[in-house]
Amino acid sequence: MTEMNLVQALNLGLSQAMEADPSVMILGEDVGLNGGVFRATEGLFQKFGPERVVDTPLAEIGILGASMGLAMNGMRPVCEIQFDGFLPSVLDQVVCHLGRMRNRTRGRYSLPLVLRAPHGGLIHAPEHHSEAPEAYFCHTPGIKVICPSTPQDAKGLIQAAINDPDPVVFFEPKALYRAARGPVPHEPYEVPIGKARVAREGGDLTFISWGAMVETCLAAAERLGQEGISAEVLDLRTLAPLDLEAILASAEKTGRVVIAHEAPNAGSWAAEISALIHERALLKLQAPVRRVGSWDIRMPLFRLEKYYIPDADRVVEAAKKTLSF
Amino acid sequence: MPLETIDRGRIERLEILSPAGIADASLAAVIPAERILEMYRKMVEIRLFDERAVKLQRQGRLGTYPQILGQEATQIVPPLCLRSKDWLLPTYRGQGSYYARGMELRYSLLYWAGDDRGTRFPEENNDMMFAIPVGAHLTWAAGLAWAEKLKKQDGVALAYLGDGTTSKGDFHEALTFAGQFKLPVIYLIENNHWAISVPREKQAASPTLAQKAWGYGARGLVVDGNDCLAVYKAVSDAVAAARAGLGPTVLECETYRMGHHTTADDASRYRSASELEAWKRKDPVARLRRYLALQGLWNDADEAKLLEEAQAMIQREIEAYESFPAPNPLNMFSDNYESAPWPLIEQRRELAELLELKKAHEPVFELPPAEGRFP
Ligand SMILES: Cc1ncc(C[n+]2csc(CCOP(=O)(O)OP(=O)(O)O)c2C)c(N)n1
């Protein structure tokens, strides 16, 4: 075990995956010599060379589309889209082809590729650098979507994603790249895709979250604890497929659920989770499931981001409304 | 005859002013001296501003800021070739081109401080807000120019892009439209030789970027982008051609980003010091000053006066920027639709209540500021 931050854990995970399998390669803008704008690929170019860690032209559709071709011809590409705000341009390939290829070729071609991108706000970045676009991806059949919140999970999940035979979209909470620190085992390991984690046990209410908002929920739980309320925090880790069992177990245990995330509320992935709970555990609920997301407007420039993305105050308020229903 | 030449590409390069400040007299003579002096003054002003903005960022008084050091000629000169009703579409590295069109520098500062009030352009201009995802605005430029043509007006659109952005599909789709519909649009590539850490040679295997125009039925020209006189002539000619109905032009202006990509970047990780040194000798500002001095149009006293006035102007802009009152969070609900639908009305009320609540107690937890890098 070594203490490290989330971006270092990812870097180690990528490095070990490349050592283990010569077909693993990394593609993206500035991922080579510069080591990625967040340093997730730092040192890999020096270690594995320009054929396996490739600085591509500035062309996101090219990066993903070429990776799809590489994947269908025996390579295991891990491609990086530099920021969440530049993901929409690759949605055409993701929606129309990435998720469908296995099914439409009757299982002949699968796409063992990983599409990595930073996720979310709270780092005072310019416009289009703080988006939470997971719902667009979760809505696409045929792909898996992951968003870890601890260094240990980040390493285990990136290795699981690379080894997975299906396409995986891997969101990295950028507010936690350096802020989240924790012990990380040195040897290679996988954290299973599709399994949630109870980040904090509690009996009165459940917070469900992912990415950087897990920290916000833990802070909210801490605050409620001071008032004698015991909140459980469920870190989903995988958004598609959802860990239905863990979601229902916690919802049935506490009877009250608040789902917190960074994306605008309307049509968010929280709506799907809420619907699942209502469909399958209605009679165990003490209150309707409540969602806390960002407002249904464009993300403002960063001076106002803390009033846009839910903070612990807002999460606590939502919890109180649920508790007093 | 199995092989027949149908067309042969031809790429020309324009340079009027040598790095030593010697100009091709016949070409330089067509530009009025007053115009050249205006270019020089504005270039000096924007250079000083750029320097101050980087300092402000280092002092924590500004967010991530994209420097334009070395690119003053391509920033300042092209807008001066336009009328205010022509469309100007800069990139995020466009504070110089906005400034040349008359935008007050306080708004550039406000924008890079993460404040939405920073996107304010002079009313009389057709200035377009830039797109952070590179290339998105190139197709808009085609549409803006198209509407000029449909409305039988003689306006043109001038859109900037970087060398890296020529790789994006948007560039190719924009040129497809511009060529096909013979639109009065100019694509000005600021080839500053780097797209963050990726050098120009890694963007495209073609020897020039200007030649990409040719495949779409547009004219292409390589221009010395550190030579104000060449940039002025090339853009003016392209504008005249566009107004005359001759369609689009792609100008590849060869320049150099002498600073980091942004204040979040460290160019020493990927770029050699000797390359930078070589480009310093072609500095657009020093080069024009040499020319003006040789022509007897500029002397040390003029320079001292300009520097003093420019510093004072920039100081005023910084003070104006820093005295904007804090933004009201509730204003983020304005201007999303012409009239707000119910979710926004409801959510605005919720935020108002929350702000009241926040006044009552300090938040216990805030995520620590991450030392992220966000080019
Ligand atoms: C579509 C898109 N992808 C990635 C980025 C991140 N990014 C910001 S600037 C930049 C390099 C741009 O290079 P270039 O087009 O040459 O313009 P320059 O910054 O050199 O003026 C990159 C990759 C972006 N803004 N937009």
Side-chain angles (χ1 to χ4, degrees):
Chain A
M1 290 274 189
T2 317
E3 179 88 4
M4 60 179 79
N5 65 31
L6 195 143
V7 76
Q8 290 164 333
L10 270 171
N11 183 273
L12 182 60
L14 289 168
S15 182
Q16 289 178 344
M18 294 191 81
E19 271 163 23
D21 181 350
S23 65
V24 176
M25 58 188 285
I26 292 178
L27 301 89
E29 293 156 15
D30 305 284
V31 298
L33 192 56
N34 204 28
V37 291
F38 284 105
R39 306 285 173 254
T41 53
E42 175 133 49
L44 301 182
F45 176 84
Q46 289 76 1
K47 198 162 160 194
F48 299 103
E51 288 209 335
R52 292 189 66 196
V53 183
V54 187
D55 271 329
T56 64
L58 204 181
E60 283 79 8
I61 298 173
I63 295 170
L64 179 63
S67 294
M68 288 166 60
L70 286 161
M72 287 186 281
N73 199 5
M75 305 303 290
R76 280 189 179 262
V78 177
C79 47
E80 175 176 307
I81 299 297
Q82 202 163 63
F83 273 94
D84 33 40
F86 314 136
L87 277 167
S89 77
V90 306
L91 269 179
D92 179 19
Q93 288 287 351
V94 171
V95 174
C96 298
H97 308 289
L98 183 68
R100 293 169 179 245
M101 196 61 85
R102 177 190 290 282
N103 181 266
R104 83 143 69 105
T105 61
R106 306 285 94 206
R108 170 150 185 190
Y109 292 109
S110 66
L111 283 160
L113 73 76
V114 181
L115 175 63
R116 293 178 40 239
H119 176 272
L122 301 169
I123 60 163
H124 281 196
E127 194 182 6
H128 300 286
H129 287 61
S130 303
E131 314 294 304
E134 59 271 25
Y136 296 103
F137 293 87
C138 292
H139 187 65
T140 305
I143 61 177
K144 298 178 181 178
V145 181
I146 292 175
C147 187
S149 77
T150 67
Q152 186 161 349
D153 282 357
K155 182 181 165 204
L157 283 166
I158 193 69
Q159 299 200 328
I162 292 171
N163 294 333
D164 198 277
D166 284 312
V168 177
V169 177
F170 196 91
F171 286 115
E172 301 165 5
K174 61 178 92 76
L176 300 182
Y177 266 140
R178 289 179 174 75
R181 289 192 70 83
V184 175
H186 187 75
E187 67 285 357
Y189 62 95
E190 288 190 14
V191 167
I193 294 174
K195 286 270 166 275
R197 167 182 81 98
V198 177
R200 176 188 163 119
E201 300 243 15
D204 295 335
L205 155 112
T206 302
F207 287 125
I208 297 180
S209 194
W210 53 91
M213 282 299 285
V214 172
E215 288 293 324
T216 309
C217 289
L218 286 169
E222 191 64 38
R223 282 247 296 270
L224 291 167
Q226 289 162 14
E227 300 178 26
I229 300 160
S230 139
E232 179 145 301
V233 178
L234 190 65
D235 171 4
L236 287 182
R237 302 200 285 205
T238 300
L239 299 177
L242 284 166
D243 187 347
L244 185 61
E245 214 175 303
I247 291 169
L248 294 180
S250 188
E252 289 175 3
K253 173 171 135 192
T254 65
R256 298 178 198 270
V257 179
V258 172
I259 310 163
H261 59 81
E262 296 190 33
N265 250 337
S268 68
W269 201 229
E272 173 66 17
I273 298 165
S274 168
L276 281 168
I277 298 171
H278 285 114
E279 280 170 4
R280 297 174 190 239
L282 182 66
L283 298 181
K284 299 279 175 52
L285 293 181
Q286 308 293 318
V289 174
R290 189 170 274 276
R291 294 175 288 153
V292 199
S294 294
W295 314 114
D296 294 331
I297 54 178
R298 103 171 218 267
M299 167 106 193
L301 296 187
F302 66 76
R303 257 185 105 168
L304 294 181
E305 71 179 330
K306 66 176 177 187
Y307 300 105
Y308 173 76
I309 296 172
D311 61 1
D313 280 345
R314 265 183 76 195
V315 175
V316 165
E317 279 310 291
K320 288 189 173 164
K321 283 185 185 145
T322 302
L323 286 161
S324 64
F325 176 78
Chain B
M1 198 159 77
L3 270 182
E4 179 192 356
T5 302
I6 296 172
D7 198 351
R8 188 172 278 130
R10 189 179 60 139
I11 284 299
E12 294 169 325
R13 182 178 185 281
L14 178 69
E15 176 183 320
I16 297 180
L17 187 60
S18 77
I22 314 287
D24 181 306
S26 62
L27 287 173
V30 291
I31 313 175
E34 211 17 74
R35 205 72 174 140
I36 303 179
L37 283 166
E38 184 189 3
M39 292 177 201
Y40 181 70
R41 288 196 198 95
K42 286 210 155 69
M43 288 205 302
V44 169
E45 285 161 359
I46 206 67
R47 175 165 290 188
L48 287 176
F49 171 77
D50 206 48
E51 206 176 280
R52 286 297 297 277
V54 173
K55 281 198 190 125
L56 291 178
Q57 192 279 336
R58 303 286 183 229
Q59 294 162 352
R61 291 157 71 190
L62 199 64
T64 307
Y65 171 82
Q67 265 187 281
I68 50 179
L69 180 66
Q71 298 177 221
E72 291 83 358
T74 48
Q75 291 274 317
I76 294 294
V77 178
L80 299 181
C81 306
L82 300 177
R83 300 174 189 157
S84 63
K85 286 292 173 224
D86 289 325
W87 297 86
L88 180 74
L89 299 98
T91 69
Y92 49 80
R93 204 188 295 287
Q95 54 275 25
S97 30
Y98 283 127
Y99 178 62
R101 288 270 275 192
M103 185 163 118
E104 291 168 298
L105 292 169
R106 66 191 67 174
Y107 292 107
S108 283
L109 292 172
L110 206 57
Y111 179 84
W112 291 111
D115 192 318
D116 284 293
R117 291 170 299 178
T119 56
R120 180 155 148 190
F121 309 109
E123 296 278 335
E124 63 278 14
N125 287 4
N126 280 327
D127 292 340
M128 192 59 72
M129 178 61 203
F130 57 75
I132 294 255
V134 303
H137 61 303
L138 302 175
T139 45
W140 314 340
L144 291 165
W146 195 353
E148 289 291 327
K149 188 170 171 174
L150 293 171
K151 294 197 284 183
K152 306 216 180 329
Q153 296 172 174
D154 69 349
V156 306
L158 187 150
Y160 278 87
L161 64 148
D163 43 301
T165 305
T166 61
S167 299
K168 281 284 287 178
D170 306 59
F171 175 62
H172 300 275
E173 299 197 18
L175 273 177
T176 297
F177 274 66
Q180 181 58 37
F181 299 107
K182 251 188 172 210
L183 302 177
V185 58
I186 298 149
Y187 291 111
L188 190 146
I189 305 167
E190 265 183 305
N191 175 4
N192 66 7
H193 288 82
W194 290 89
I196 311 188
S197 71
V198 181
R200 151 65 186 95
E201 313 80 69
K202 284 201 179 176
Q203 291 297 338
S206 60
T208 72
L209 299 172
Q211 74 196 80
K212 294 189 177 195
W214 189 53
Y216 299 92
R219 282 177 309 281
L221 179 68
V222 180
V223 182
D224 185 327
N226 281 4
D227 167 358
C228 292
L229 306 186
V231 173
Y232 191 87
K233 176 167 168 40
V235 176
S236 302
D237 288 353
V239 168
R243 290 205 211 286
L246 299 179
T249 305
V250 175
L251 299 174
E252 177 187 355
C253 297
E254 296 174 326
T255 180
Y256 196 73
R257 187 195 87 207
M258 298 211 277
H260 305 291
H261 169 70
T262 65
T263 48
D265 176 47
D266 175 7
S268 70
R269 288 174 66 95
Y270 51 79
R271 185 171 79 176
S272 76
S274 60
E275 183 183 297
L276 179 59
E277 282 312 308
W279 275 95
K280 274 189 186 160
R281 288 193 283 279
K282 301 187 215 166
D283 183 306
V285 180
R287 186 160 166 182
L288 192 64
R289 187 176 168 193
R290 276 180 218 123
Y291 170 77
L292 291 171
L294 287 172
Q295 299 294 308
L297 294 167
W298 199 252
N299 59 34
D300 288 351
D302 294 326
E303 182 77 8
K305 183 157 170 282
L306 171 61
L307 289 180
E308 195 185 308
E309 285 170 2
Q311 289 290 17
M313 181 272 290
I314 291 160
Q315 188 58 33
R316 282 196 302 278
E317 290 300 315
I318 293 172
E319 281 163 20
Y321 146 65
E322 291 198 318
S323 54
F324 270 91
N328 180 351
L330 294 175
N331 284 348
M332 62 177 139
F333 290 98
S334 315
D335 296 324
N336 291 282
Y337 299 88
E338 193 169 304
S339 65
W342 69 264
L344 269 55
I345 296 169
E346 212 173 76
Q347 290 170 19
R348 188 181 191 281
R349 199 179 313 128
E350 198 181 328
L351 178 58
E353 284 164 17
L354 212 85
L355 293 173
E356 280 305 311
L357 198 106
K358 278 178 188 293
K359 277 192 204 145
H361 68 86
E362 285 299 301
V364 179
F365 175 84
E366 267 191 59
L367 274 175
E371 341 138 23
R373 294 173 169 276
F374 17 86

